[in-house]
Amino acid sequence: MRGSAQVALLPSVPRARRAVVAAVLSAGLTAGLVSCSEAEDPDKGTNGLGKLPAAEIENQARAAAAEAKSVSLSGTLVSKGGTYKLNMRLKDDGGTGSVTAGDNTFELLRVADDLYLKADAGFWAPSAKSDADAEAVEKLEGKYVKVPEGDPAYDQFRGFTDKDALLDGFLGMTGELSKGDRTKIGGVRTIQVSAGEGAGGVLDVSLEGAPYPLQFARAGGGGVLTLGRWGEDFPLAAPPTSATVDYGKSLPKTID
């Protein structure tokens, strides 16, 4: 009789199994509800930009970029003049960094309207037509050569150091805009804005903090540029006279 009483107090094996299954299903359902809830709110913890129409996202990105006093920019730019690799830091009154065109890499420095170019002898070598020219070219290596404002190269090189001009060119998408994927650039969540016909491209705008543009892929294989360090100041000063060469009214012809 005692053994029968003990058996009566325990649930049957099928009943116990059903209880365990129910508990597991309940836990899984709860976890599933949490996961679905998070998936349904991709803007949780963001600046809310992802909820806006594409045109408003682009407007806010342009406004944030215009307000920032400085930015770093790196990547590849393809234009009619060729393919350029840029690694620049820019602010309202100038910029500094390097540009690679073909096999040549040179440094640019602009302070207000004064523009300087520094390169190795290989950069200047095409301009050497005589032994005297070659000797002169060697003296330019590693020096900041002041680019005359009247030289055709001035506007071309200055463009790489002009924050407003570069940003206007990169961010000036035309055509119908649409929202794209949510991605990450450098670990920062972004929302993409794509342009249709016209000056197209794909712009990644930060979903964290200020709505800064973080990457721009130009349409038609026009290059990809990454932007960052928005608003971070950096020193910008003319090079010392001992490191500077004034070549006169025009530079040696090196780049078409």
Side-chain angles (χ1 to χ4, degrees), residues 119-236:
D120 59 22
F123 175 86
W124 301 107
S127 65
K129 306 301 182 183
S130 66
D131 291 341
D133 290 340
E135 185 177 346
V137 161
E138 289 182 3
K139 295 179 180 180
L140 298 178
E141 182 170 18
K143 295 285 189 178
Y144 285 96
V145 178
K146 190 171 184 179
V147 183
E149 292 189 37
D151 190 280
Y154 181 87
D155 290 337
Q156 178 188 7
F157 292 148
R158 181 192 170 101
F160 293 126
T161 68
D162 191 322
K163 179 175 80 71
D164 291 339
L166 281 174
L167 293 180
D168 285 345
F170 300 150
L171 305 181
M173 297 191 295
T174 61
E176 185 176 355
L177 301 180
S178 60
K179 285 196 292 188
D181 296 332
R182 293 167 184 268
T183 61
K184 285 188 176 181
I185 302 296
V188 178
R189 287 178 291 175
T190 66
I191 181 72
Q192 292 184 334
V193 175
S194 302
E197 296 181 3
V202 179
L203 177 67
D204 278 87
V205 183
S206 177
L207 287 172
E208 302 177 18
Y212 289 126
L214 298 185
Q215 183 171 282
F216 183 58
R218 303 178 77 203
V224 178
L225 295 160
T226 301
L227 304 100
R229 303 174 78 172
W230 289 97
E232 294 184 16
D233 196 16
F234 60 94
L236 194 62

Side-chain angles (χ1 to χ4, degrees), residues 17-30:
R17 185 179 297 130
R18 286 197 301 270
V20 171
V21 171
V24 171
L25 288 176
S26 177
L29 179 60
T30 302

